[in-house]
Amino acid sequence: MTALAPSPRRLGTTGPEVFPLGLGCMGMSDLYGPADRTESIATLHAALDAGVTLLDTGDFYGMGHNELLIAEALKGRPRENVVLSVKFGALRDPAGNWIGFDGRPQAVKTALAYTLKRLGVDYIDIYRPARLDPVVPVEETVGAIADMVQAGYVRHVGLSEVGADTIRRAAAVHPVSDLQIEYSLISRGIEDGILQTCRDLGIGITAYGVLSRGLISGHYQASGAASDFRAHSPRFQGENVAENLKLVEALRQVAQARGASVAQVAIAWVAAQGADILPLVGARRRDRLTEALGSLDVTLDAAALAAIEAAIPKGAAKGARYAAAQMAMLDSERTGA
């Protein structure tokens, strides 16, 4: 008997239909320590072969490396079979330091031109500013993307890590397909207004960090690599990481009772929060991808959801999700967002 294909999810009322898990590709190029290029390409191929359609990247992931990697993986495959979600605007120096954000209309269009060339495609499915530019009105940034939609270089406008007021302002300029934002059992800030705003406006959620950068994957081990930004993340430091891993062990008991892994239950929990939410998994290896795909077979009934809530209550995590300087850049974290 052939297994039924998983039901697709639509990104908002105006966005594309996609496979019910997306693949976040950042870790294949940057920020989590060394990655294996051959394994990265193999993982991308395995994801596409399994039916995954949405690939998420940013032009600043490895300063273009990630887009070039994806382009290599897509060679010989039909363009219409993949949904490319690209973030832009983050500024970095040659040492990889974060030095600001540029959401000016001319910068939007220039960044898009380079992205199209690196990916080897003639349009991007969803184009989104990675953060809100503090000095450029969001209407101008979104207006520039809307110009590129009109010109045929972009299919849909997306947002990332912005609060409710910014979402409303952006949506007044052009329909928004989805908001990309961190959402997991230990990062539930969007439940305090942002999620409802998106639902009111027919905007989907692309949830990244569903395993909290591996912290609640059930597999976490400190890499020790200087290039692994988690070493500077409050949730991964000192007593915080020890307390957070205790939550993972409580979740492990819930998962084992249901014949699933910790990661599968954590991903399934995000998916269970609404059909308008697409979990992004950051698998860099085929075995981790296979495990993540297994979450699609995990059904969480009311009893399971209650057990998960008891294991990891809202607000139980120790430490902020980013260091203070990065938290200050998040419009989604501002009071009243």
Side-chain angles (χ1 to χ4, degrees):
M1 184 186 302
T2 303
L4 291 175
S7 298
R9 294 195 168 199
R10 182 173 293 282
L11 294 178
T13 55
T14 63
E17 249 190 15
V18 294
F19 187 84
L21 278 183
L23 182 64
C25 302
M26 179 184 77
M28 296 177 180
S29 299
D30 211 356
L31 300 172
Y32 287 149
D36 182 308
R37 182 181 184 84
T38 301
E39 182 62 24
S40 294
I41 294 287
T43 301
L44 282 160
H45 285 165
L48 295 166
D49 291 344
V52 172
T53 48
L54 188 137
L55 302 180
D56 181 77
T57 185
D59 61 14
F60 49 91
Y61 292 165
M63 277 58 80
H65 177 276
N66 203 238
E67 291 177 323
L68 292 169
L69 185 77
I70 291 171
E72 183 177 339
L74 293 180
K75 283 179 181 175
R77 291 174 181 260
R79 171 66 182 91
E80 62 272 17
N81 289 358
V82 65
V83 173
L84 293 171
S85 167
V86 181
K87 293 181 290 300
F88 69 87
L91 304 176
R92 302 177 73 179
D93 67 16
N97 299 309
W98 305 94
I99 55 174
F101 188 87
D102 195 345
R104 294 172 301 153
Q106 59 267 49
V108 173
K109 296 174 184 180
T110 299
L112 175 62
Y114 280 78
T115 279
L116 291 167
K117 183 66 70 173
R118 283 189 294 261
L119 282 168
V121 297
D122 56 10
Y123 68 92
I124 300 301
D125 295 277
I126 310 170
Y127 202 51
R128 68 182 86 242
R131 297 288 185 267
L132 178 68
D133 188 324
V135 298
V136 177
V138 71
E139 290 86 351
E140 293 185 15
T141 302
V142 170
I145 306 174
D147 289 345
M148 297 295 90
V149 172
Q150 186 67 29
Y153 296 115
V154 172
R155 294 284 171 87
H156 304 282
V157 175
L159 297 171
S160 178
E161 287 289 357
V162 291
D165 179 61
T166 302
I167 293 166
R168 293 188 194 98
R169 289 168 55 197
V173 175
H174 189 279
V176 174
S177 64
D178 65 309
L179 169 69
Q180 187 174 120
I181 193 165
E182 187 166 354
Y183 191 30
S184 73
L185 276 164
I186 63 172
S187 295
R188 295 173 61 175
I190 72 165
E191 294 175 356
D192 301 326
I194 291 175
L195 180 55
Q196 189 56 53
T197 297
C198 286
R199 285 175 169 163
D200 291 345
L201 295 171
I203 297 171
I205 298 291
T206 298
Y208 76 89
V210 293
L211 298 178
S212 298
R213 301 167 183 83
L215 183 59
I216 60 171
S217 67
H219 306 296
Y220 176 69
Q221 292 181 324
S223 73
S227 57
D228 190 336
F229 90 104
R230 290 174 293 187
H232 310 288
S233 174
R235 287 185 177 168
F236 291 84
Q237 294 178 333
E239 294 182 2
N240 286 350
V241 71
E243 291 301 312
N244 291 333
L245 289 175
K246 289 179 183 177
L247 298 175
V248 176
E249 290 312 305
L251 184 61
R252 194 184 303 277
Q253 301 304 311
V254 178
Q256 288 177 342
R258 286 157 179 82
S261 72
V262 173
Q264 288 168 344
V265 167
I267 297 166
W269 180 88
V270 173
Q273 303 313 301
D276 53 351
I277 298 173
L278 176 74
L280 271 184
V281 297
R284 301 194 293 172
R285 297 176 359 207
R286 284 168 287 180
D287 58 338
R288 295 287 188 250
L289 173 67
T290 298
E291 180 183 28
L293 289 168
S295 69
L296 299 173
D297 297 322
V298 176
T299 300
L300 300 176
D301 58 15
L305 291 170
I308 292 168
E309 187 74 27
I312 305 185
K314 185 176 180 177
K318 301 296 182 185
R321 57 192 181 104
Y322 286 106
Q326 290 176 300
M327 288 293 285
M329 295 175 63
L330 296 178
D331 184 62
S332 54
E333 291 286 341
R334 295 195 172 95
T335 303

